[in-house]
Amino acid sequence: MKTDTVTAFNQLALAKPLLTVLDEVGYETPSPIQAQTIPLLLEGKDVLGQAQTGTGKTAAFALPLLSRLDLKQKDPQVLVLAPTRELAIQVAEAFQKYASHMHGFHVLPVYGAQDYRGQIRALQRVVPVGTPGRVMDHMRRGTLKLDKLSALVLDEADEMLRMGFIDDVEWILEQTPAHRQIALFSATMPQQIRRIANQYLNE
């Protein structure tokens, strides 16, 4: 299906529970970034999206990645990296909303200045959404295992670069399985973000 012919969410091959939620919240027509990104992510392709905040980009990656989740698997299958605690919480809330009819689904915002013990217990059967530093801490402690990871989202990558997280992001990328899918979203495309895209994204 050509992405420019997508005029309704029900034309996209999203899982039924997600279409039910979209219906309930009254989402009918995908935004341009959603229409272009969702079919590619559903096919398992890597995506580089240039999108400002407020264009609906969270749904553009959350909906297709939720559609591909195997709810029987305990280890995290999707990881979202966000530059700030506020954005991590916002993205986690969006995932929770879209997955409200998916039984057994959990999402967990992971950021600094939070109790580790509560996070460790909760890091099973979930989609962690976190800031790079805290995600890296959990990986180093062995409390977040990414060997079953099938998709990684870098949200607002240019912000992560501006805040000095880019080395952490690269360290995390290097620890993920080679065949995982990547969705990188950035409002601008500075050189270092382009380099990461060229180095880690396929096609």
Side-chain angles (χ1 to χ4, degrees):
M1 185 197 313
K2 293 198 20 233
T3 55
D4 54 5
T5 60
V6 177
T7 55
F9 278 107
N10 58 17
Q11 288 175 279
L12 299 162
L14 293 167
K16 276 215 166 65
L18 297 169
L19 290 170
T20 306
V21 171
L22 292 172
D23 220 25
E24 287 171 1
V25 294
Y27 286 11
E28 284 168 16
T29 312
S31 71
I33 187 95
Q34 291 163 356
Q36 288 170 346
T37 307
I38 291 173
L40 296 171
L41 288 175
L42 282 170
E43 284 170 25
K45 292 192 162 67
D46 285 0
V47 165
L48 176 63
Q50 193 161 356
Q52 309 293 333
T53 307
T55 49
K57 71 175 159 50
T58 304
F61 61 78
L63 294 170
L65 296 179
L66 283 168
S67 278
R68 302 188 67 203
L69 274 190
D70 172 4
L71 289 173
K72 293 187 200 75
Q73 191 179 299
K74 272 190 182 164
D75 296 320
Q77 297 162 66
V78 174
L79 168 67
V80 183
L81 293 179
T84 63
R85 178 185 134 169
E86 291 69 35
L87 186 64
I89 292 169
Q90 210 178 314
V91 170
E93 284 170 352
F95 265 88
Q96 200 61 63
K97 178 172 79 180
Y98 300 138
S100 56
H101 292 296
M102 292 171 71
H103 303 298
F105 172 81
H106 303 285
V107 62
L108 179 73
V110 182
Y111 47 83
Q114 224 186 353
D115 176 33
Y116 267 107
R117 285 185 309 263
Q119 284 183 354
I120 290 166
R121 271 200 309 276
L123 277 171
Q124 278 199 329
R125 290 184 191 279
V126 295
V127 169
V129 179
T131 50
R134 183 46 76 104
V135 166
M136 203 161 86
D137 286 350
H138 274 295
M139 289 168 70
R140 288 200 164 128
R141 286 164 178 247
T143 45
L144 176 57
K145 295 188 170 50
L146 298 182
D147 26 347
K148 299 268 177 22
L149 195 76
S150 54
L152 173 65
V153 179
L154 304 178
D155 195 10
E156 303 203 355
D158 50 352
E159 271 303 293
M160 292 199 265
L161 173 66
R162 197 180 60 77
M163 293 168 75
F165 290 145
I166 219 67
D167 292 344
D168 296 357
V169 169
E170 287 208 65
W171 184 87
I172 293 165
L173 278 165
E174 278 157 16
Q175 317 302 313
T176 57
H179 53 271
R180 45 72 188 112
Q181 180 180 13
I182 295 183
L184 188 158
F185 290 90
S186 195
T188 59
M189 286 291 162
Q191 191 124 29
Q192 264 186 289
I193 300 299
R194 282 187 193 282
R195 181 183 59 73
I196 284 182
N198 291 335
Q199 192 172 339
Y200 296 99
L201 273 69
N202 297 314
E203 296 177 47

